[in-house]
Amino acid sequence: MATITRLRKSRRMSQIVRHGSTIHLAGQIADDCSQAIEGQSQEVFGNIDALLAEIGLTKSSIVFAQMWLSDLADFAGMNSAWEAWVDPEDPPGRATCQVGLARAGARIEILITAAAEG
């Protein structure tokens, strides 16, 4: 049985969960929800970069990204920020849908699954 490691734990959740070689990041949202979609997206991508770096990975390790937008009208703006950030040599699988987000003003939340060696 693979070991489960949880990092950046709180009573509610762990920001990083590793099970074997699979890495799950908790859903990431921007701290500054007053920004337009491009700014919120860039902040979320920075959060993802920081969490992956904490465990020695980069965005090229991302296997799948699940994006939730509070309004699909933000799809083009999010895609613009995504295309500037994503590793063009190793783009992950991805899905995007519209949902009601828990934090007022949040326009995007992203859940990441990544792969690590061993």
Side-chain angles (χ1 to χ4, degrees), residues 55-109:
I55 55 173
L57 299 177
T58 67
K59 60 189 163 196
S60 65
S61 301
I62 298 172
V63 175
F64 195 82
Q66 172 69 57
M67 275 101 141
W68 295 292
L69 298 175
S70 62
D71 187 341
L72 282 178
D74 286 334
F75 189 68
M78 179 275 297
N79 271 332
S80 176
W82 171 263
E83 289 166 4
W85 174 78
V86 74
D87 181 343
E89 298 301 316
D90 296 305
R94 194 186 97 170
T96 306
C97 58
Q98 180 176 322
V99 298
L101 296 174
R103 181 177 289 170
R107 302 178 76 91
I108 185 168
E109 182 170 353

